[in-house]
Amino acid sequence: MIDSFLLIGLPYAALFLCVIGTILRVNYYGYSVTSHSSQFLESKKLFWGSRLFHSGIVVLLIGHIVGFLIPKTIIFLTATPLWLLVIEITAFAFGILSFVGILLLIIRRVQVKRLHSVTSKMDLVVYTVIAFQILTGLTIAYFHRWGTAWYASALVPYLRSIFIFSPDTAVITTMPLMIKLHVISAFVFIGLIPFSRLIHFVAYPVRYLWRNVQLVIWNRDLKASRASREKRMGIKPKNN
């Protein structure tokens, strides 16, 4: 019963909340779709934490997506011990990178008092879920090795069964607890997207790729304006 709830009910609830919640928030609360950057309040620690975390997590996310989309290719590649070893070491390295990054970001939130006023309870939940997700991933990589191979052959069929609305938990229910926790926390992460700053995933300015070019023309002497006390300089614009 518990496995059915956590491995079937929870994933569908998380996906439903993610899709419907994101659509509603973007359409009705568009101005809240932001990452709420705190760079203005503190930038040095943010630079290192953000770079390490995003560099690691993006690579890991791409790796998981590739394994989900083309599992047969991954199984074929990992049948060669050298390829399997290279992929495992690379993934573990980026996992450590992302874990160090999220730790730096959490420490920054705690140590820099100016950030306390802009840190919500949901931010703390998100940090906790992400840290737990990365930590369980590293634990699995160390204690249940060669995950690249068994992820494609054993876990992907379960994930695909969820997306085609024909859930099959026969294999995942026999897996170690740590793997189940990793999967469950991944769906919890997905469910949190519409209710947190994770919503900025959907805020990429893709339309910039095809919008008209904007031409900026300066009609004032920048050097003179820096030394001037006037609030407005240059030629007064005219309406055509």
Side-chain angles (χ1 to χ4, degrees):
M1 181 65 73
I2 296 179
D3 282 341
S4 296
F5 171 74
L6 294 177
L7 300 174
I8 299 178
L10 178 63
Y12 281 121
L15 292 172
F16 177 82
L17 288 174
C18 180
V19 174
I20 303 301
T22 299
I23 292 174
L24 291 176
R25 184 167 177 182
V26 170
N27 288 336
Y28 295 100
Y29 304 95
Y31 288 107
S32 70
V33 180
T34 172
S35 63
H36 297 288
S37 175
S38 58
Q39 184 176 1
F40 179 76
L41 299 175
E42 196 284 324
S43 60
K44 187 175 181 180
K45 294 180 180 178
L46 175 64
F47 175 85
W48 290 109
S50 180
R51 293 303 183 279
L52 292 175
F53 170 70
H54 285 94
S55 298
I57 208 69
V58 168
V59 173
L60 294 175
L61 181 60
I62 292 175
H64 282 70
I65 293 175
V66 170
F68 178 82
L69 295 176
I70 50 174
K72 292 182 179 179
T73 303
I74 299 300
I75 293 173
F76 174 77
L77 288 175
T78 54
T80 304
L82 179 60
W83 272 109
L84 178 60
L85 191 61
V86 169
I87 295 174
E88 287 288 306
I89 293 175
T90 302
F92 194 77
F94 278 102
I96 293 176
L97 201 67
S98 59
F99 187 66
V100 171
I102 195 65
L103 279 182
L104 291 176
L105 292 175
I106 293 174
I107 292 172
R108 171 179 176 267
R109 286 278 172 178
V110 174
Q111 288 184 344
V112 181
K113 294 183 178 180
R114 284 201 285 177
L115 298 178
H116 293 178
S117 60
V118 296
T119 302
S120 66
K121 292 181 180 178
M122 182 55 73
D123 291 334
L124 300 178
V125 173
V126 169
Y127 277 122
T128 302
V129 172
I130 293 176
F132 181 80
Q133 179 74 3
I134 298 173
L135 184 60
T136 54
L138 289 172
T139 304
I140 292 169
Y142 186 80
F143 291 102
H144 307 284
R145 299 178 185 178
W146 322 125
T148 307
W150 57 254
Y151 165 74
S153 60
L155 203 54
V156 167
Y158 157 72
L159 295 175
R160 287 190 168 187
S161 73
I162 294 293
F163 284 96
I164 63 174
F165 300 102
S166 180
D168 181 5
T169 61
V171 176
I172 192 172
T173 53
T174 63
M175 289 185 167
L177 176 62
M178 193 59 63
I179 297 176
K180 294 179 184 178
L181 292 175
H182 188 68
V183 173
I184 292 168
S185 63
F187 282 111
V188 171
F189 176 86
I190 292 172
L192 290 175
I193 290 176
F195 308 101
S196 64
R197 66 178 66 201
L198 295 172
I199 193 69
H200 75 275
F201 289 162
V202 301
Y204 286 99
V206 180
R207 65 178 181 275
Y208 280 25
L209 297 174
W210 59 78
R211 76 172 187 178
N212 294 330
V213 176
Q214 291 184 339
L215 182 62
V216 179
I217 301 176
W218 292 93
N219 60 9
R220 62 178 179 174
D221 186 341
L222 294 179
K223 186 175 181 180
S225 66
R226 293 191 188 98
S228 175
R229 293 184 178 181
E230 294 185 22
K231 295 183 179 179
R232 185 189 184 100
M233 294 188 67
I235 302 172
K236 185 176 181 179
K238 295 180 181 181
N239 296 325
N240 295 326

